[in-house]
Amino acid sequence: AYCPSCRREVFQTAPEELRNCSIGPVAKAMAVYLRHEFNLSYRNVEKLFSSLFGMPFVPASAMAFSGQCATSGTELYADLQRKVRAARIIHGDETHWRIDGKSAQLWYAGNTEIDFFHADFSRGSDVAAQIFGKSFGGHLVADSYAAYNIISPKSRQTCLAHLLRKAKEISERIRLLPETKQDPPSLHFCTSLIDFLRTCCALGQQRNRGEIPFQKAREKIPELKQLRDELCCNSLRDEEAENLRKRISDPNRDGEQLFVFLEVNDGMEPTNNHAEQALRHPVIFRKICFGNRSLEGAQHLAVNLSILGTAKRQDQDPIDLIKTILLKGANTPLEKLYRRENLPVTNSS
């Protein structure tokens, strides 16, 4: 059409077309997916499009695509955070990150249904409160990091895998000492604790597979506590072993958080393996790209990782989701991210 006022041609945006863009939403979605799913650098994304599809653009354009997706997906990201705060069981963890060469943290909160990442310079309790809220009403699975104390979860399961690894490290160190300097009770404690924690993890796996009924598994808690108390009854000469003994026996530390997984039904895990596996992908990405150059870039990364990770857990098409986000922004329908059975029931009468 022709505008008689400004004497310019007027073009109508076609369906599924981005206004004033020479590169469409499908290509942009592919670029974002390659960046965050296959850990490609922006330069390699540009090379791939140029060599395979004959679509040359500068690496800065690939970075702009990721930023545009993150900016347009902020409403979905906010909805994910609300779901984290309302979850019955959630896993929490954090890993080292780099922002413009400075130390930072990439936080994770999620379960088998959702992923939520948050980038921040701080590893303090203020960030945990920002993610979970100060009165988190669900059950938390995490390591013994004190920053999570502020959220006051309904219950908290400490990661038995962390304790198991610690016991292994101490026992291996003791074995490397000359015999005259080894403390046999400390070595015996560590090896016995390893067997005890493996038994606990196996019990949780059997319960989750349905091999042991929930009530029968729960009835084993007094027996496990008695075994733990017998194992921790005597002080140890080795400093690290003694600290570990106090850690698992003290009710103000991990003493009351060892067997929560047997008290809570619906598949609560004895370890935080879920969060560690979720963070494994961005950790590999960090080793390739060495982090981000700005806090804004790190936050964009967190948004895109959250959306793509949740889409995979919900068995949704991630490329179609990104394309819809680029086209509709805040109006992206929730069914593009969540399975229909996970959406709230609405009354259409």
Side-chain angles (χ1 to χ4, degrees):
Y2 177 77
C3 177
S5 298
C6 64
R7 308 180 69 85
R8 293 181 181 177
E9 292 180 326
V10 181
F11 298 91
Q12 181 180 3
T13 303
E16 296 197 351
E17 179 185 20
L18 290 171
R19 184 181 293 272
N20 300 323
C21 291
S22 59
I23 299 177
V26 176
K28 289 186 177 183
M30 285 284 292
V32 175
Y33 184 71
L34 289 170
R35 168 68 171 175
H36 296 291
E37 180 63 23
F38 295 98
N39 296 332
L40 296 185
S41 66
Y42 291 127
R43 192 172 299 278
N44 283 337
V45 170
E46 177 268 325
K47 288 180 180 178
L48 189 149
F49 270 80
S50 179
S51 59
L52 295 184
F53 306 126
M55 296 180 64
F57 53 79
V58 295
S61 295
M63 181 178 67
F65 301 159
S66 294
Q68 185 179 355
C69 177
T71 302
S72 301
T74 50
E75 288 297 323
L76 288 179
Y77 184 69
D79 186 72
L80 283 172
Q81 183 172 18
R82 290 191 290 270
K83 284 179 168 50
V84 165
R85 294 187 173 191
R88 185 170 182 269
I89 299 174
I90 209 78
H91 294 253
D93 204 357
E94 66 289 327
T95 189
H96 176 67
W97 202 253
R98 302 289 288 180
I99 298 177
D100 198 21
K102 300 176 183 178
S103 293
Q105 296 292 319
L106 185 67
W107 294 70
Y108 171 81
N111 52 33
T112 57
E113 299 290 335
I114 58 174
D115 279 350
F116 182 84
F117 293 88
H118 172 78
D120 206 293
F121 280 110
S122 173
R123 196 182 176 221
S125 58
D126 56 325
V127 182
Q130 180 182 343
I131 295 172
F132 296 93
K134 290 187 177 181
S135 56
F136 177 62
H139 306 282
L140 175 68
V141 184
D143 55 26
S144 301
Y145 185 41
Y148 293 104
N149 295 342
I150 195 174
I151 69 175
S152 303
K154 188 174 182 180
S155 66
R156 178 173 171 177
Q157 169 65 46
T158 195
C159 179
L160 300 189
H162 280 75
L163 297 174
L164 198 152
R165 285 196 293 268
K166 187 64 177 177
K168 282 183 178 179
E169 291 172 4
I170 297 172
S171 64
E172 290 171 359
R173 179 183 57 77
I174 293 175
R175 286 192 177 96
L176 292 175
L177 294 173
E179 275 192 41
T180 55
K181 293 186 177 181
Q182 290 182 8
D183 182 35
S186 297
L187 183 59
H188 175 73
F189 166 77
C190 290
T191 54
S192 300
L193 180 60
I194 291 170
D195 294 337
F196 173 74
L197 294 174
R198 283 175 175 168
T199 300
C200 293
C201 292
L203 183 61
Q205 292 171 357
Q206 291 172 346
R207 192 277 309 273
N208 292 341
R209 289 196 298 262
E211 298 173 5
I212 298 178
F214 168 70
Q215 190 58 38
K216 187 174 180 181
R218 188 174 185 176
E219 291 172 355
K220 291 184 176 292
I221 294 178
E223 177 185 346
L224 293 173
K225 286 185 176 180
Q226 183 178 354
L227 290 173
R228 187 271 314 273
D229 293 341
E230 292 175 357
L231 187 62
C232 299
C233 62
N234 297 318
S235 60
L236 303 170
R237 194 176 69 187
D238 185 89
E239 185 176 346
E240 287 190 68
E242 173 64 9
N243 183 57
L244 182 59
R245 183 191 72 84
K246 291 179 178 179
R247 178 176 168 183
I248 65 173
S249 59
D250 187 348
N252 295 320
R253 298 177 70 183
D254 291 334
E256 294 300 319
Q257 301 174 358
L258 294 178
F259 313 113
V260 176
F261 72 98
L262 296 175
E263 298 174 354
V264 180
N265 206 352
D266 298 332
M268 191 170 189
E269 297 287 343
T271 71
N272 204 21
N273 184 63
H274 171 91
E276 292 184 349
Q277 288 297 318
L279 284 170
R280 182 174 181 270
H281 182 73
V283 165
I284 295 173
F285 181 76
R286 182 196 70 208
K287 293 180 179 179
I288 295 173
C289 70
F290 304 106
N292 297 94
R293 292 301 304 271
S294 68
L295 179 59
E296 182 183 20
Q299 291 169 340
H300 285 171
L301 172 78
V303 172
N304 290 332
L305 286 177
S306 301
I307 292 173
L308 287 172
T310 300
K312 288 193 293 183
R313 295 194 186 280
Q314 296 283 330
D315 296 323
Q316 301 286 53
D317 184 349
I319 297 178
D320 183 58
L321 170 63
I322 299 171
K323 183 191 76 172
T324 306
I325 291 172
L326 292 171
L327 288 168
K328 297 182 179 295
N331 297 320
T332 301
L334 292 178
E335 55 263 27
K336 284 291 183 178
L337 180 60
Y338 308 109
R339 291 191 297 267
R340 290 190 177 274
E341 59 267 27
N342 292 332
L343 293 171
V345 179
T346 56
N347 187 355
S348 59
S349 59

